[in-house]
Amino acid sequence: MNIHAIKSIYRFEMARWFRTLAQSVISPVLSTSLYFVVFGSAIGSRMQAIDGVSYAAFIIPGLVMLSLLGESISNASFGIYMPKWAGTIYELLSAPVSWIETVIGYVGAAATKSVCLGLLILATARIFVPYEISHPVWMLGFLVLTAITFSLFGFVIGVWATDFQKLQIVPMLVVTPLTFLGGSFYSISMLPPIWQKITLFNPVVYLVSGFRWSFYGVSDLNPVVSFGATLCFLAACLTAVWWVFKTGYRLKV
């Protein structure tokens, strides 16, 4: 294992993140804070409790997931797309660095950024809403696992994209709508029976449900099922990344 190569890629990506803190950290934290103000304070005080949890506290896991998924994809996709765009990807491919080391460097940095952002949003939420975390170890586990999984997904998107616009297509037109429809602001038990069944085809439902269980011990789905679904998506993303480097898809063109 080429530890020096992993460290170099990781440090380079983290340094780029620190140079753009206003866009990478301050902006999503402020956006999420507005959700807490509008939905938590203004609307939440008029909503009844869901599964014994106040509405303002109920939406916290969903809002964290909303930012976590978007930032994980964005960080990883932009990180690998820039070398392609600048042409420096060929230096990386010709260097004595395996695909595993490359992925660990880029995905590790993207996941680190996302986890830090998620924890910062949780700290910010404490200012607006009192809440407790029933299973802190599981909460951190879901947070890290989700960040890694969607950073891998973002890595694949970055390889697939041929211009900057395509980097935003999947997060904006696919992931964000699925997150809003995945129980971030409501319990799927509140939906009609037919829509409850349809919602189960939304992979984000399992992420939000499992993450919410780690906070309050209540969820729409069995947390074991949620954890298993996340692992399946992780395996699918790893397979896709392996195939990209095996075939050189849009890397060696």
Side-chain angles (χ1 to χ4, degrees):
M1 185 69 70
N2 191 339
I3 302 298
H4 293 291
I6 296 174
K7 286 183 178 180
S8 298
I9 296 173
Y10 182 88
R11 288 175 178 174
F12 179 82
E13 286 299 301
M14 292 302 294
R16 180 174 60 81
W17 185 57
F18 284 115
R19 290 195 301 268
T20 59
L21 283 179
Q23 178 183 352
S24 304
V25 178
I26 298 177
S27 178
V29 169
L30 286 178
S31 299
T32 308
S33 299
L34 291 176
Y35 280 111
F36 288 128
V37 172
V38 175
F39 289 93
S41 301
I43 299 178
S45 59
R46 301 172 183 267
M47 299 285 290
Q48 62 181 1
I50 302 176
D51 294 330
V53 181
S54 68
Y55 183 75
F58 182 85
I59 65 174
I60 289 176
L63 289 176
V64 173
M65 277 293 165
L66 180 64
S67 297
L68 187 72
L69 301 188
E71 290 300 315
S72 296
I73 294 174
S74 177
N75 289 326
S77 61
F78 190 80
I80 190 60
Y81 178 78
M82 282 303 296
K84 288 177 52 185
W85 177 77
T88 56
I89 187 70
Y90 300 107
E91 298 177 6
L92 179 63
L93 294 174
S94 61
V97 182
S98 69
W99 72 272
I100 296 178
E101 294 157 356
T102 301
V103 171
I104 291 175
Y106 281 108
V107 172
T112 300
K113 301 172 193 177
S114 300
V115 170
C116 291
L117 179 62
L119 295 176
L120 184 58
I121 291 175
L122 284 176
T124 305
R126 179 72 69 174
I127 300 174
F128 302 96
V129 183
Y131 66 90
E132 300 294 334
I133 301 177
S134 300
H135 308 283
V137 175
W138 278 101
M139 184 278 292
L140 188 60
F142 269 111
L143 191 70
V144 173
L145 184 61
T146 302
I148 294 174
T149 300
F150 277 81
S151 293
L152 285 168
F153 186 46
F155 188 91
V156 174
I157 293 175
V159 172
W160 164 78
T162 55
D163 54 53
F164 286 99
Q165 291 181 346
K166 287 186 177 180
L167 292 178
Q168 301 298 325
I169 290 178
V170 175
M172 292 182 62
L173 300 183
V174 179
V175 176
T176 299
L178 288 179
T179 306
F180 275 95
L181 297 174
S184 297
F185 296 96
Y186 57 86
S187 170
I188 63 174
S189 61
M190 301 166 66
L191 299 174
I194 182 64
W195 284 105
Q196 291 184 30
K197 295 180 180 180
I198 293 175
T199 303
L200 295 179
F201 290 96
N202 181 352
V204 180
V205 168
Y206 300 90
L207 303 177
V208 174
S209 180
F211 196 52
R212 183 171 287 131
W213 171 84
S214 69
F215 277 75
Y216 311 118
V218 296
S219 62
D220 295 314
L221 303 170
N222 190 316
V224 176
V225 175
S226 299
F227 188 73
T230 307
L231 289 178
C232 289
F233 189 45
L234 174 63
C237 291
L238 280 172
T239 302
V241 171
W242 169 81
W243 178 83
V244 164
F245 280 94
K246 177 179 174 60
T247 61
Y249 174 76
R250 293 195 176 178
L251 285 178
K252 300 179 181 180
V253 179

